[in-house]
Amino acid sequence: AQSVTQPDIHITVSEGASLELRCNYSYGATPYLFWYVQSPGQGLQLLLKYFSGDTLVQGIKGFEAEFKRSQSSFNLRKPSVHWSDAAEYFCAVGGIGNNRKLIWGLGTSLAVNP
Amino acid sequence: NAGVTQTPKFQVLKTGQSMTLQCAQDMNHEYMSWYRQDPGMGLRLIHYSVGAGITDQGEVPNGYNVSRSTTEDFPLRLLSAAPSQTSVYFCASSSLASDTQYFGPGTRLTVL
C-alpha cells in the first residue's frame, strides 16, 4: 500500500538550533517526493521536491532534504531555525499519473522557542 | 499573478444546505484538484480535472460534484451538506508539463 509516515507529530526546537523532520514512504514506483509547509491559517506552500538526479535537494527558506532510497526516507533539514519557521510541515509522495494524486503524511507541527 | 484563489475563506452551513466552493487559477494550468484536510486523516483527493470539460473522481468523491467549464475555474459543489463534510478544503493546480502542484489558501467549512 502507498503511504507516508511522519513519525514526529510535534517537535519543539530553540531558535538557531538545527532541525530534521523525518519522512518515510511506501510507494510502488520511483517516487516523486515533496515537502510542503502550512503556516497557521494559510495554504500549503511547496518547500522543495525530488524527482530524480542529485539526492540532496535545496528548497526555499534555507531548507534541504535528502532522498535515501535504501531507507525509503526523505528527511527535511535546516541548519539554523528561525522563529518564523514555526508551522506544520507535510511530506507527500506521488503526483504522477493522470490523477496526480498526492499521498500525504499527517504532518509535523514545529514550535520554535525564542 | 494571483496564483490559486479560493472563496469563501470560512463558511458555516446547516445540514442539508447546498453551497459551492470556488476555486480559480490564473496560471493557465490544465490540471486542477480538490482535497479535504481532516485531523488524523491528512489530505485526501476529492475530485480532479485535467482540462476543461474533463473531470474524474479521487478517493473521497461522495457528496461532492465538480465541473470544469473553463481552464481557470474548478468549483466544488455540496448538494446536501452533512456534518461529515466539516473540513478544510484546498484547491490545487498544476501544468501537465510539470509535477508541482500549487495550492490555494483553503476554505474552512463547518456543517452544523
Side-chain angles (χ1 to χ4, degrees), chain A residues 36-50:
Chain A
Y36 282 84
V37 60
Q38 184 179 25
S39 298
Q42 302 297 311
L44 294 150
Q45 182 181 22
L46 179 67
L47 283 175
L48 47 76
K49 61 188 178 185
Y50 172 79

Side-chain angles (χ1 to χ4, degrees), chain A residues 1-113:
Chain A
Q2 300 169 341
S3 65
V4 175
T5 301
Q6 293 181 245
D8 304 304
I9 297 173
H10 187 85
I11 285 181
T12 300
V13 300
S14 297
E15 191 168 18
S18 63
L19 172 70
E20 182 169 32
L21 302 182
R22 295 182 290 165
C23 173
N24 294 97
Y25 67 89
S26 173
Y27 198 75
T30 300
Y32 286 16
L33 293 154
F34 305 83
W35 274 100
Y36 282 84
V37 60
Q38 184 179 25
S39 298
Q42 302 297 311
L44 294 150
Q45 182 181 22
L46 179 67
L47 283 175
L48 47 76
K49 61 188 178 185
Y50 172 79
F51 293 158
S52 65
D54 192 347
T55 56
L56 184 64
V57 294
Q58 303 296 321
I60 62 171
K61 304 185 180 188
F63 285 93
E64 66 177 26
E66 186 171 13
F67 170 58
K68 293 186 177 180
R69 186 185 298 275
S70 61
Q71 298 177 18
S72 297
S73 70
F74 189 56
N75 294 348
L76 182 72
R77 301 194 294 249
K78 186 169 184 178
S80 178
V81 171
H82 188 262
W83 63 266
S84 61
D85 292 324
E88 190 92 16
Y89 291 82
F90 293 92
C91 180
V93 64
I96 60 175
N98 205 41
N99 69 9
R100 300 203 163 202
K101 184 175 102 174
L102 287 167
I103 299 160
W104 298 80
L106 296 185
T108 296
S109 177
L110 174 66
V112 180
N113 287 334

